[in-house]
Coordinates of all heavy atoms in Angstrom, one line a residue:
Chain B
H121 N -16.1 -34.3 -60.7 CA -15.8 -35.4 -61.7 C -17.1 -36.0 -62.2 O -17.2 -36.2 -63.4 CB -15.0 -36.4 -61.0 CG -14.1 -37.2 -62.0 ND1 -12.8 -37.5 -61.7 CD2 -14.5 -37.8 -63.1 CE1 -12.3 -38.2 -62.8 NE2 -13.3 -38.3 -63.6
R124 N -18.8 -33.8 -64.5 CA -18.1 -33.7 -65.8 C -18.3 -35.0 -66.5 O -18.4 -34.9 -67.7 CB -16.6 -33.5 -65.5 CG -16.2 -32.1 -65.1 CD -14.8 -32.0 -64.6 NE -14.6 -30.7 -64.1 CZ -14.0 -29.7 -64.8 NH1 -13.5 -29.8 -66.0 NH2 -13.8 -28.5 -64.2
T182 N -12.4 -39.4 -74.3 CA -11.1 -39.1 -73.9 C -10.8 -37.7 -73.5 O -10.2 -37.3 -72.6 CB -10.1 -39.4 -75.1 OG1 -10.3 -40.7 -75.5 CG2 -8.7 -39.1 -74.7
E183 N -11.6 -36.7 -74.3 CA -11.5 -35.4 -73.8 C -12.1 -35.2 -72.4 O -11.6 -34.4 -71.5 CB -12.2 -34.4 -74.8 CG -11.5 -34.3 -76.1 CD -12.4 -33.6 -77.2 OE1 -13.5 -33.2 -76.8 OE2 -11.9 -33.4 -78.2
A184 N -13.3 -35.9 -72.2 CA -13.9 -35.8 -70.9 C -12.9 -36.3 -69.8 O -12.8 -35.7 -68.8 CB -15.2 -36.5 -70.8
A185 N -12.3 -37.5 -70.1 CA -11.4 -38.1 -69.2 C -10.2 -37.1 -68.9 O -9.6 -37.0 -67.8 CB -10.9 -39.4 -69.7
E186 N -9.7 -36.6 -70.0 CA -8.7 -35.7 -69.8 C -9.1 -34.4 -68.9 O -8.3 -34.0 -68.1 CB -8.2 -35.1 -71.2 CG -7.5 -36.1 -72.0 CD -7.2 -35.6 -73.4 OE1 -7.6 -34.4 -73.7 OE2 -6.5 -36.3 -74.2
E187 N -10.4 -33.9 -69.2 CA -10.9 -32.8 -68.2 C -10.8 -33.3 -66.8 O -10.3 -32.7 -66.0 CB -12.2 -32.4 -68.7 CG -12.2 -31.6 -69.9 CD -13.6 -31.1 -70.3 OE1 -14.5 -31.4 -69.5 OE2 -13.8 -30.6 -71.4
N188 N -11.4 -34.5 -66.5 CA -11.5 -35.0 -65.2 C -10.1 -35.3 -64.7 O -9.8 -34.9 -63.5 CB -12.3 -36.4 -65.1 CG -13.7 -36.2 -65.6 OD1 -14.3 -35.2 -65.3 ND2 -14.3 -37.3 -66.1
A189 N -9.3 -35.9 -65.4 CA -7.9 -36.1 -65.0 C -7.2 -34.9 -64.6 O -6.4 -34.7 -63.7 CB -7.2 -37.0 -66.0
S190 N -7.4 -33.9 -65.5 CA -6.7 -32.6 -65.2 C -7.2 -32.0 -64.0 O -6.4 -31.4 -63.2 CB -6.9 -31.6 -66.4 OG -8.3 -31.3 -66.4
V191 N -8.5 -32.2 -63.6 CA -9.1 -31.7 -62.3 C -8.4 -32.5 -61.2 O -8.0 -31.9 -60.2 CB -10.6 -31.9 -62.3 CG1 -11.1 -31.6 -60.9 CG2 -11.1 -31.0 -63.4
N192 N -8.3 -33.9 -61.3 CA -7.7 -34.7 -60.3 C -6.2 -34.7 -60.2 O -5.6 -35.3 -59.4 CB -8.2 -36.0 -60.3 CG -9.7 -36.1 -60.0 OD1 -10.2 -35.3 -59.3 ND2 -10.4 -37.0 -60.7
G193 N -5.7 -34.0 -61.2 CA -4.2 -34.1 -61.3 C -3.6 -35.4 -61.8 O -2.4 -35.7 -61.6
I194 N -4.5 -36.1 -62.4 CA -4.1 -37.5 -63.0 C -3.8 -37.3 -64.5 O -4.7 -36.7 -65.1 CB -5.2 -38.6 -62.7 CG1 -5.3 -38.6 -61.1 CG2 -4.7 -39.9 -63.2 CD1 -6.4 -39.5 -60.6
Q195 N -2.9 -37.9 -65.0 CA -2.7 -37.8 -66.4 C -3.8 -38.5 -67.1 O -4.2 -39.7 -66.8 CB -1.4 -38.5 -66.8 CG -0.8 -38.1 -68.1 CD -0.4 -36.7 -68.1 OE1 -0.1 -36.1 -67.1 NE2 -0.4 -36.2 -69.3
P196 N -4.5 -37.9 -68.0 CA -5.7 -38.5 -68.7 C -5.3 -39.7 -69.5 O -4.5 -39.7 -70.4 CB -6.2 -37.5 -69.7 CG -4.9 -36.5 -69.9 CD -4.2 -36.6 -68.7
E197 N -5.9 -40.8 -69.2 CA -5.7 -42.2 -69.8 C -6.9 -42.9 -70.0 O -7.4 -43.5 -69.0 CB -4.7 -42.9 -69.2 CG -3.2 -42.3 -69.1 CD -2.1 -43.4 -68.9 OE1 -2.1 -44.4 -69.6 OE2 -1.4 -43.2 -68.0
G198 N -7.7 -42.6 -71.0 CA -9.0 -43.1 -71.1 C -9.0 -44.5 -71.8 O -8.1 -44.8 -72.6
E256 N -10.5 -44.7 -65.5 CA -9.3 -43.9 -65.1 C -8.8 -44.5 -63.7 O -9.7 -44.6 -62.8 CB -10.0 -42.5 -64.9 CG -8.8 -41.4 -64.5 CD -9.5 -40.1 -64.4 OE1 -10.1 -39.6 -65.3 OE2 -9.4 -39.6 -63.2
K257 N -7.6 -44.7 -63.7 CA -7.1 -45.4 -62.6 C -6.8 -44.3 -61.5 O -6.3 -43.3 -61.8 CB -5.7 -46.1 -63.0 CG -5.2 -47.0 -61.8 CD -4.0 -47.8 -62.2 CE -3.6 -48.7 -61.1 NZ -2.4 -49.5 -61.5
Q258 N -7.1 -44.7 -60.2 CA -7.0 -43.8 -59.2 C -5.7 -44.2 -58.4 O -5.2 -45.3 -58.5 CB -8.2 -43.9 -58.2 CG -9.6 -43.5 -58.8 CD -9.5 -42.1 -59.2 OE1 -9.5 -41.2 -58.3 NE2 -9.5 -41.7 -60.5
L264 N -11.8 -45.3 -61.6 CA -12.9 -44.4 -61.8 C -13.4 -44.6 -63.1 O -12.6 -44.6 -64.1 CB -12.5 -42.9 -61.5 CG -13.6 -41.9 -61.3 CD1 -14.4 -42.2 -60.1 CD2 -12.9 -40.6 -61.3

Side-chain angles (χ1 to χ4, degrees):
Chain B
H121 203 132
R124 287 168 188 260
T182 303
E183 286 173 5
E186 286 174 356
E187 286 181 10
N188 292 334
S190 64
V191 170
N192 292 330
I194 301 169
Q195 200 64 25
E197 293 199 49
E256 184 180 299
K257 192 173 183 181
Q258 299 292 294
L264 191 65

